[in-house]
Amino acid sequence: QLVETGGGLIQAGGSLRLSCAASGATFNSRAMAWFRQAPGSEREFVAAMRWSVSSTDYADFAKGRFSISRDNAKNTLFLQMDDLKPEDTAVYFCGAPRPFSFAWRTASDIDVWGNGTLVVVSS
C-alpha cells in the first residue's frame, strides 16, 4: 500500500515536499517513482529511485527543480519540489513497478499506485 501526503496550494516560486508512505516488505525490492496527472492529460513520469541503490532518474522538466529521496528505515519516499510553476499543477502519484524491474518511466510499468495528492500552483 502506498499513501501520498504533502500536497496543497502554493504560490509560484514556492516549494513543497511530498511524502509517500509504503507498507509491505515487497517494496524493499522495488524501485519507487513519482508521476503526475494534470486535468485532461495523461499520467506522466516525474522521478524515480531504486530502493536498494541510491540511483535516481528524472524527467527533463524535473531536473534542477525536483529532488527524489527516501528513508528506508521509515519506508517513505519523498519528492522535494522547488521553484514551482503553474504548469506543475497536477495530482501527484507515488508508484512502484514490479519487483526487480528497471522499467518505471511509463504508467504501464507501475504495479502499485497510491491515491495521489493534489498540488495547485497559483500564479
Side-chain angles (χ1 to χ4, degrees):
Q1 184 181 5
L2 302 174
V3 178
E4 305 93 334
T5 56
L9 175 64
I10 190 82
Q11 287 190 332
S15 298
L16 279 177
R17 189 191 198 202
L18 306 183
S19 299
C20 170
S23 59
T26 55
F27 292 107
N28 291 335
S29 61
R30 302 180 189 237
M32 298 291 291
W34 288 100
F35 280 70
R36 70 184 187 182
Q37 188 166 18
S41 299
E42 294 189 353
R43 198 167 295 191
E44 66 174 345
F45 171 73
V46 176
M49 171 174 257
R50 291 177 62 186
W51 202 253
S52 60
V53 176
S54 296
S55 62
T56 57
D57 182 23
Y58 293 94
D60 286 344
F61 68 80
K63 292 177 181 177
R65 297 192 300 126
F66 294 2
S67 178
I68 189 171
S69 62
R70 86 279 198 245
D71 183 334
N72 283 346
K74 296 182 178 180
N75 280 340
T76 302
L77 183 75
F78 302 101
L79 183 68
Q80 176 68 39
M81 304 187 294
D82 299 321
D83 189 24
L84 283 162
K85 304 175 181 181
E87 52 263 43
D88 294 318
T89 294
V91 177
Y92 284 71
F93 296 90
C94 173
R98 288 172 291 280
F100 307 111
S101 171
F102 289 90
W104 48 66
R105 276 184 158 253
T106 65
S108 60
D109 295 326
I110 302 302
D111 190 38
V112 180
W113 290 103
N115 289 327
T117 185
L118 177 63
V119 173
V120 177
V121 184
S122 63
S123 57

